[in-house]
Amino acid sequence: MVILTSVMATGALTLTACGSRDDKGGDSDNGGGTTLTIGVDAPLSGENSTTGLGIQYGAQIAVDDANKAKLVPGVTFKLKAYDDKAQPATGQSNATTITGDKTAVGAVGPLNSGVAQSMQQVFASANMVQISPSNTNPQLTQGKNWQTDKKRPYKTYFRTATTDELQGSFAADYAYNGLKKKKVFVVDDKQTYGAGLAKIFTEQFKKLGGTVVGSDHVNTGDKDFGSLVTKIKNAKADLLYYGGQYDESSLITKQMKDGGVKIPLFGGDGMFATTYIETAGAASEGDLATAVGVPADTLPAAKTFIETYKSKGYKGDYGAYGAYSYDATTAIIKAVKAAVDANGGKVPSDINALRSSVVDGVQKSDFEGISGKVAFDQYGDTTNKQLTVYQVTKGAWKAVKTGTADLG
């Protein structure tokens, strides 16, 4: 388990994980007054780190922008980043550390739905807001029986990403009606996100009239998919749908194409990363992935964000969740401003009272973010239901369809 220190950094953001390193972090300050901390948790090393770093630096830019604009007079925001390595136990430990910091008012993250499940209770017990820019499993906001009886488990948990109920259905519709695929082989990585997404895709694909000619499971960390390729080949599928992350899917598609199975691999937002293409190489050509929202580079409000991300030389990929992380962080900061304004322009001296006010403020969020409208429904889900299908074209992800899922 990785233990991350809670020491406040001055100048550059300091992240400690098996030693320490200096990242290019915040470079602005409100010039004294009260310092409040926002934690960010994501896989910053190892599996999924490409997208995890995009979350970290998306949040960092939001903090820097808020400080530069003196969004909350007299308050300087600091970001503390925690590496969960995509491990639920580590995420839970990080949540305990974040809530134990008496300057912390909220948290952004994590990337993985399975990690989020281990963190929600910790934040709820501390009455601290948690906003994920990427979690998509429906039960996180709507409960275990979300398909028949929606009940919100934790009022402190929100997300700026839409759910797999919409994403899986959107993918199934495009596979069946857009790609005209009728026989699909479905694989998942047994994780909360991957298995849930694959299940929803399967249900909707069958509902549309398609046939699932086979299914299988893999383990995260697997490298050899020879037996899986044989099963897919024998099933005579015309599409492989994968529920999971880019680490395994990039190897699966390469081994599948090398094995003579020349069909596209279609996955969810966990696959939508430049690393997928870099690892799979030419074998990724024609593969597809859904992702939340619309392409960040098509949003006028995100232009400055993208320029800043690139000019800072930040690592990772902002494309999947960077803008949603920025907006999640901004929602927390705006909620702090509302709490300060309601208290006569002063920061509430009781951290517990402040945290409670921030939770209430986030629930009332209603502003135009760089990813679009930022607002939450009664479950803590984003009201922004836009999704995009991307396809690898000439070695890069290109948007081929944008819209919302039809669950009818």
Side-chain angles (χ1 to χ4, degrees):
M1 182 178 292
V2 178
I3 304 296
L4 299 161
T5 64
S6 301
V7 178
M8 184 72 71
T10 56
L13 174 69
T14 301
L15 170 68
T16 302
C18 299
S20 63
R21 74 172 191 265
D22 288 331
D23 287 325
K24 298 175 182 176
D27 55 8
S28 53
D29 194 291
N30 272 0
T34 302
T35 296
L36 297 177
T37 304
I38 297 174
V40 60
D41 175 272
L44 308 179
S45 63
E47 289 190 359
N48 313 156
S49 59
T50 296
T51 42
L53 288 166
I55 289 174
Q56 176 188 349
Y57 293 122
Q60 184 65 64
I61 294 171
V63 165
D64 289 346
D65 285 353
N67 285 339
K68 184 177 181 180
K70 299 189 188 310
L71 192 62
V72 186
V75 174
T76 297
F77 291 95
K78 294 286 187 180
L79 194 77
K80 290 184 182 178
Y82 299 82
D83 184 3
D84 63 33
K85 295 185 179 293
Q87 298 296 321
T90 307
Q92 186 177 59
S93 176
N94 291 345
T96 300
T97 301
I98 294 169
T99 56
D101 181 348
K102 297 306 180 183
T103 69
V105 291
V108 175
L111 168 69
N112 308 88
S113 292
V115 176
Q117 287 180 318
S118 74
M119 303 175 80
Q120 286 181 303
Q121 180 62 59
V122 179
F123 286 111
S125 295
N127 205 14
M128 181 188 289
V129 72
Q130 173 191 11
I131 311 178
S132 173
S134 56
N135 295 162
T136 52
N137 188 276
Q139 67 178 308
L140 293 171
T141 49
Q142 301 169 23
K144 291 182 179 180
N145 300 317
W146 63 270
Q147 288 180 303
T148 56
D149 184 22
K150 290 180 171 63
K151 290 183 180 178
R152 186 177 186 178
Y154 303 101
K155 72 170 186 176
T156 52
Y157 177 86
F158 301 80
R159 53 177 152 204
T160 50
T162 195
T163 71
D164 290 332
E165 179 182 18
L166 299 178
Q167 185 176 192
S169 298
F170 194 64
D173 178 74
Y174 189 77
Y176 188 83
N177 294 312
L179 299 176
K180 306 299 182 184
K181 302 298 184 182
K182 308 303 179 187
K183 299 185 296 181
V184 64
F185 196 102
V186 180
V187 179
D188 70 69
D189 64 1
K190 305 179 189 177
Q191 301 300 302
T192 301
Y193 161 72
L197 184 60
K199 181 176 183 291
I200 293 166
F201 174 90
T202 297
E203 291 172 352
Q204 191 67 14
F205 190 75
K206 287 181 177 179
K207 183 178 178 180
L208 291 167
T211 301
V212 176
V213 295
S215 62
D216 205 350
H217 312 279
V218 300
N219 298 305
T220 56
D222 283 354
K223 305 294 183 185
D224 185 354
F225 300 102
S227 61
L228 174 62
V229 170
T230 299
K231 290 178 183 178
I232 297 169
K233 188 173 186 178
N234 292 340
K236 301 187 185 306
D238 54 18
L239 177 74
L240 170 62
Y241 187 81
Y242 182 75
Q245 307 288 340
Y246 61 78
D247 303 274
E248 289 73 38
S249 58
S250 59
L251 299 179
I252 291 173
T253 198
K254 190 173 190 308
Q255 292 175 33
M256 185 171 70
K257 308 295 174 50
D258 289 346
V261 185
K262 308 295 185 180
I263 62 174
L265 186 152
F266 197 169
D269 54 332
M271 246 179 66
F272 182 55
T274 53
T275 305
Y276 176 83
I277 300 173
E278 292 165 358
T279 302
S284 66
E285 192 71 15
D287 288 351
L288 305 105
T290 47
V292 299
V294 298
D297 56 10
T298 68
L299 296 166
K303 182 180 179 182
T304 301
F305 166 78
I306 295 171
E307 290 174 349
T308 300
Y309 198 104
K310 291 179 177 179
S311 69
K312 292 279 188 179
Y314 286 149
K315 298 177 182 178
D317 187 349
Y318 66 81
Y321 309 116
Y324 299 93
S325 181
Y326 182 102
D327 284 345
T329 308
T330 301
I332 294 173
I333 293 170
K334 283 180 175 291
V336 171
K337 184 180 188 316
V340 171
D341 289 346
N343 194 47
K346 298 179 180 179
V347 177
S349 57
D350 183 346
I351 187 62
N352 295 318
L354 176 56
R355 289 176 177 178
S356 181
S357 294
V358 170
V359 172
D360 293 340
V362 168
Q363 183 66 67
K364 297 173 184 174
S365 294
D366 185 5
F367 64 93
E368 287 298 325
I370 65 170
S371 66
K373 180 70 171 293
V374 179
F376 304 98
D377 64 17
Q378 68 269 38
Y379 303 106
D381 283 324
T382 178
T383 59
N384 184 352
K385 309 298 185 184
Q386 292 254 291
L387 290 156
T388 300
V389 176
Y390 295 86
Q391 186 166 33
V392 181
T393 306
K394 296 181 180 179
W397 289 112
K398 300 295 183 183
V400 293
K401 180 183 180 182
T402 297
T404 56
D406 179 8
L407 300 179

